[in-house]
Amino acid sequence: MPSVPPHATLLPAGSSACVEIDLDAIRDNVAELGRRAGSAEVMAVVKADAYGHGVLPAARAALAGGATWLGVAQLEEALRVRAAGIDAPLLSWLYPPGADLAGAVAADIDVTASAVWALDAIRAAADTTGRTARVQLKVDTGLLRNGAYGPDWTDLVAAAGRACAEGSIEVTGVWSHFVYADEPQHPTVRRQQERFEEAVRDLERAGIRPGLRHLANSAATLTNPAVHYDLVRPGLACYGLSPVPQLGGPSAYGLREAMRLTAALAGVKRVKAGEGVSYGHQYVTERETVLGLVPLGYADGVPRHGTNVGPLLVGGQRTRVAGRVCMDQLVVDLGPAYAGGAGDPVVVFGREADGEPTAQEWAEAIGTINYEIVTRVSGRLPRVHIGGED
Ligand SMILES: *Cc1c(COP(=O)(O)O)cnc(C)c1O
């Protein structure tokens, strides 16, 4: 048997589990995306607490890697980035009527207008703050999520023309989002690209300089240079996960995973054959064996659907969840020869290159996507950031 590397963890003293975030990986991934983007700028998408990696350290690492823009969904997220003193260009795209647009305009956040009501609210915010609002216009090219669709786009362009003329706004960009970026040959990709270019021409015809044109998320950044335009908008790939796992893992694209979910084994027990394990006895031991207790559960973001299927690495050895994932803990079957004990290192997911289970493996095991595995990791776990400049 080859000896297995220990897969050490970096648990803070007294913690039974933690999320490790490698900020140098984020920096290097963004630099790699920048190389692939050629002359296009990189907007690192740091919404949802940077996909669970911690928005402020992740944003700083992305900027250190050469990102010239940051992107978030919600205004609150954008305001949090500004409140921390990060002054890079920053785009936000999702807010309801009544949102704090004046706060956003005052903080020099680019706000997206997907409808005339939004543009009116932005004009009011410009009025309140006495500033010219920086606005990016979003066209719906077929995803049918946000973005102005059909005649609403025509109305939005006309309203933007008037707002520019009165000086309340400046258009800094025009953008859209793909339906099937992860299938670059899908016919919708080409159709959305054509619709996007038409929208840019609509602006030019209305006498509006479109500013930055952008359409590409991670998958399109990696697989479709024809849609890079002036800026690319990767999220997932910044964190070292592949947006196109069917085409290749992170290393195929020069990326490495930034997040590891780790723990220390909370106990072991030797049990007889034929014993049921955890709630509902969904797992029954086939032979005498050693069970390990992992102090992580669905309240920490380990999917309950990982019951009997989720992969783990315990004491350097591959295993799976045995029985139900509970709220705070889960059990693994380590086999009769397991010689370790409480305190042994556990990796729930981490780096493929080190032979650790990955977020992608978890996604496949439970029928979801790697995005969900990293973003669902709970705030109750300590984050340990390694690398970076702070
Ligand atoms: C989340 C998001 C992105 C980033 O998508 P990835 O697939 O993670 O690269 C880009 N643009 C918009 C509008 C998004 O909502």
Side-chain angles (χ1 to χ4, degrees):
M1 286 269 293
S3 69
V4 187
H7 299 278
T9 59
L10 297 172
L11 295 177
S15 296
S16 58
C18 81
V19 190
E20 281 174 29
I21 310 293
D22 180 351
L23 296 173
D24 292 344
I26 295 176
R27 179 199 62 202
D28 294 348
N29 292 334
V30 169
E32 176 62 24
L33 291 161
R35 281 188 286 277
R36 289 171 180 268
S39 61
E41 295 182 59
V42 176
M43 174 187 291
V45 176
V46 294
K47 64 189 178 187
D49 203 26
Y51 294 40
H53 294 67
V55 60
L56 301 176
R60 292 192 183 103
L63 294 168
T68 51
W69 279 79
L70 299 170
V72 292
Q74 301 167 356
L75 281 188
E76 287 78 3
E77 298 178 305
L79 290 165
R80 205 175 140 207
V81 168
R82 282 289 187 260
I86 297 174
D87 59 7
L90 172 60
L91 176 67
S92 170
W93 51 79
L94 198 59
Y95 50 87
D100 183 16
L101 284 161
V105 171
D108 228 13
I109 294 163
D110 284 45
V111 286
T112 297
S114 285
V116 172
W117 68 259
L119 193 68
D120 287 342
I122 297 166
R123 285 173 54 223
D127 203 40
T128 309
T129 55
R131 299 174 64 131
T132 301
R134 296 171 55 92
V135 177
Q136 302 213 9
L137 301 173
K138 183 165 186 192
V139 57
D140 188 338
T141 55
L143 182 58
L144 303 199
R145 219 170 60 175
N146 68 341
Y149 174 81
D152 290 344
W153 170 252
T154 311
D155 293 347
L156 182 61
V157 172
R162 290 191 296 273
C164 287
E166 76 189 12
S168 58
I169 73 160
E170 156 191 18
V171 172
T172 55
V174 54
W175 66 281
S176 192
H177 195 51
F178 278 120
V179 176
Y180 267 113
D182 53 342
E183 290 183 34
Q185 306 306 324
H186 195 278
T188 57
V189 171
R190 182 75 211 150
R191 278 210 297 277
Q192 284 191 268
Q193 187 184 355
E194 285 163 4
R195 178 74 198 90
F196 180 65
E197 290 178 9
E198 251 172 64
V200 173
R201 287 193 294 274
D202 291 339
L203 286 174
E204 286 164 345
R205 270 197 298 273
I208 302 171
R209 289 165 64 119
L212 295 169
R213 301 162 299 160
H214 49 107
L215 187 52
N217 62 356
S218 294
T221 301
L222 295 176
T223 65
N224 194 352
V227 299
H228 287 174
Y229 297 101
D230 303 315
L231 176 147
V232 295
R233 235 174 30 237
L236 190 77
C238 300
Y239 310 107
L241 299 181
S242 174
V244 284
Q246 76 283 13
L247 301 179
S251 58
Y253 295 98
L255 306 171
R256 67 182 196 274
E257 299 92 336
M259 183 188 287
R260 286 170 94 219
L261 176 59
T262 65
L265 212 54
V268 296
K269 59 184 64 156
R270 184 168 291 275
V271 303
K272 295 190 300 255
E275 294 271 30
V277 178
S278 190
Y279 290 133
H281 282 181
Q282 300 279 298
Y283 182 86
V284 177
T285 56
E286 284 176 358
R287 53 188 169 161
E288 181 184 315
T289 191
V290 174
L291 299 178
L293 181 61
V294 175
L296 283 167
Y298 59 79
D300 301 298
V302 176
R304 189 167 176 274
H305 285 103
T307 295
N308 284 342
V309 295
L312 294 96
L313 190 101
V314 178
Q317 168 183 323
R318 279 282 190 147
T319 182
R320 289 192 176 275
V321 177
R324 288 252 173 87
V325 174
C326 310
M327 187 182 291
D328 310 299
Q329 36 193 313
L330 61 86
V331 176
V332 288
D333 186 342
L334 297 166
Y338 194 77
D344 284 1
V346 176
V347 181
V348 179
F349 60 81
R351 291 185 287 261
E352 180 174 45
D354 294 346
E356 296 172 348
T358 61
Q360 178 59 30
E361 269 178 72
W362 270 87
E364 284 169 20
I366 69 163
T368 185
I369 52 176
N370 50 10
Y371 294 75
E372 190 183 359
I373 300 298
V374 288
T375 52
R376 68 187 297 160
V377 170
S378 157
R380 92 167 169 180
L381 290 171
R383 258 73 177 164
V384 175
H385 289 95
I386 47 187
E389 292 176 353
D390 296 345

